[in-house]
Amino acid sequence: MSRTAMRASEKDFENARNQLKLLMKDPGNEVKLKLYALYKQATEGPCNTPKPSMLDFINKAKWDAWNALGSLPKETARQNYVDLVSSLSPSSESSSQVKPAAANEKQPGSENIIVTSQDGITKIMFNRPTKKNAITTSMYKEIIHALKAASTDNSAITVFTGNGDYYSSGNDLTNFTDVPPNSIEETAKNASILLREFVDAFIDFPKPLVAVINGPAVGIVVTLLGLFDVVYASDKATFHTPFSELGQSPEGCASYTFPKIMGPAKAAEMLIFGKKLTAGEACARGLVTEVFPESTFQKEVWTRLKAYAKLPTNSLRISKELIRSNEKEKLHAVNAEECTVLQGRWLSEECMNALMNFVSRKSKL
Ligand SMILES: CCCC/C=C/CC(=O)SCCNC(=O)CCNC(=O)[C@H](O)C(C)(C)COP(=O)(O)OP(=O)(O)OC[C@H]1O[C@@H](n2cnc3c(N)ncnc32)[C@H](O)[C@@H]1OP(=O)(O)O
């Protein structure tokens, strides 16, 4: 996709550098490394300096961060740098300015979520294919940010999809396993707060929300589908919510939306017993709008979405509002309740055992 708008100028870049010096709060090492990498990429282009030795920790971390940007164009790096600095400044938090959708505009902070805008469509793509697009804590935050931006950009519809063979394997289970023993309770509390904010962003999203399910979907990315307006799936997609196996419980408002969509018995089979559905089964249950053969999936779906995105934008919004608004209050209450229950589940022995199993399988213990 080619960038059509919102290109940061040299002046914006210079301003961002100055703004950074005025930051009151240390943004932390992870962000500082991203800023370093984007700055180098924007000013010098792709990393071509020799890799520092393993023992030169700081320079090695900086080199890794820069090198990870690959062949990202200088202009995109400059824009991402400006966006990242702006997201760190307190004044940007309260900004309600309408921002035009920009092609290839990436969310600040990582390449794990790629946001692009073209042809009236803002596309939010899970981009962690080697980990089956599992969602890390920072990715949840980036998605919240991306949804907020998409809600006021000039695109007509917003689409989620995945890069690689998976749509997404759901929550990154190491969000809970890489935690020191004395901060488990705090981690569970923070995760519950984050989850609530994350799901709220979907409940409140004002434009048509479409999922393009390119492969298997697990956990939270399945439950959220009840909050999407249209779901297109490749015939190689599957839908799996193994909450009981994980000692957990449903989220994403599925405890309310799934029984409404497919009836309580079919919902129970998925949400309580973790039955994995094929795309065809999910379509028969009303969770998926339409299934396409894998060979023509991308072409057919994007052609259709581009045509839909040409429809009058305000009309699209207003129709969505009419369909969804009566439910909003209920959905927020369900979300709050699910997050509270889940917080307790994360501290349960059943959940801890399930997470240990995942970790030991990974390390082949
Ligand atoms: C803070 C908000 C919390 C919201 C809570 C949400 C609840 C959920 O979303 S529950 C669902 C959680 N997801 C899972 O249980 C899936 C776990 N993963 C798997 O079962 C398998 O990895 C798979 C069936 C998705 C794929 O199996 P396959 O054999 O094809 O590939 P792998 O070799 O297992 O995976 C490749 C690579 O990716 C890592 N990975 C995959 N999924 C996850 C994940 N969800 N969390 C963390 N890591 C994941 C996997 O460990 C492999 O990594 P390595 O190459 O480093 O071993």
Side-chain angles (χ1 to χ4, degrees), residues 128-135 137 140 165-166 169-176 190-192 194-195 218-221 240 242-243 246 248-249 251 276 342 346 358 361-362 364:
R128 225 182 145 219
T130 56
K131 298 287 180 187
K132 309 292 181 195
N133 294 329
I135 308 174
T137 301
Y140 286 108
D165 59 342
Y166 262 64
S169 62
N171 187 40
D172 187 312
L173 295 176
T174 63
N175 288 340
F176 294 117
N190 290 339
S192 174
L194 177 63
L195 177 62
V218 187
I220 184 153
V221 297
H240 190 200
F243 299 129
L246 291 166
Q248 299 186 24
S249 52
E251 20 57 0
K276 188 199 280 189
L342 201 41
W346 287 327
F358 178 76
R361 246 193 341 244
K362 257 173 85 72
K364 317 277 185 276

Side-chain angles (χ1 to χ4, degrees), residues 91-105:
S91 59
S92 71
E93 296 291 318
S94 56
S95 166
S96 61
Q97 269 187 345
V98 176
K99 200 175 169 194
N104 277 348
E105 183 185 348

Side-chain angles (χ1 to χ4, degrees), residues 101-270:
N104 277 348
E105 183 185 348
K106 298 206 174 62
Q107 282 304 297
S110 89
E111 299 293 308
N112 290 337
I113 297 292
I114 295 191
V115 186
T116 49
S117 226
Q118 197 175 41
D119 299 321
I121 301 171
T122 290
K123 180 168 86 172
I124 302 176
M125 184 167 70
F126 303 114
N127 182 41
R128 225 182 145 219
T130 56
K131 298 287 180 187
K132 309 292 181 195
N133 294 329
I135 308 174
T136 60
T137 301
S138 61
M139 286 164 74
Y140 286 108
K141 294 178 185 166
E142 286 167 28
I143 292 169
I144 295 170
H145 184 89
L147 282 172
K148 288 202 173 124
S151 68
T152 56
D153 71 15
N154 60 9
S155 64
I157 60 181
T158 298
V159 179
F160 274 79
T161 193
N163 183 19
D165 59 342
Y166 262 64
Y167 175 65
S168 164
S169 62
N171 187 40
D172 187 312
L173 295 176
T174 63
N175 288 340
F176 294 117
T177 54
D178 297 341
V179 178
N182 57 355
S183 46
I184 291 173
E185 293 203 354
E186 200 192 334
T187 302
K189 186 169 167 221
N190 290 339
S192 174
I193 292 168
L194 177 63
L195 177 62
R196 184 164 169 192
E197 196 190 340
F198 178 72
V199 176
D200 276 345
F202 285 84
I203 297 172
D204 291 328
F205 193 70
K207 297 178 183 178
L209 200 50
V210 178
V212 170
I213 314 281
N214 53 298
V218 187
I220 184 153
V221 297
V222 177
T223 55
L224 280 176
L225 295 178
L227 301 174
F228 278 68
D229 301 299
V230 165
V231 179
Y232 293 138
S234 151
D235 60 8
K236 80 177 175 81
T238 52
F239 299 82
H240 190 200
T241 47
F243 299 129
S244 301
E245 196 181 319
L246 291 166
Q248 299 186 24
S249 52
E251 20 57 0
C253 293
S255 62
Y256 175 71
T257 58
F258 276 30
K260 274 195 81 174
I261 291 169
M262 58 187 82
K266 297 285 189 197
E269 213 183 5
M270 282 191 82

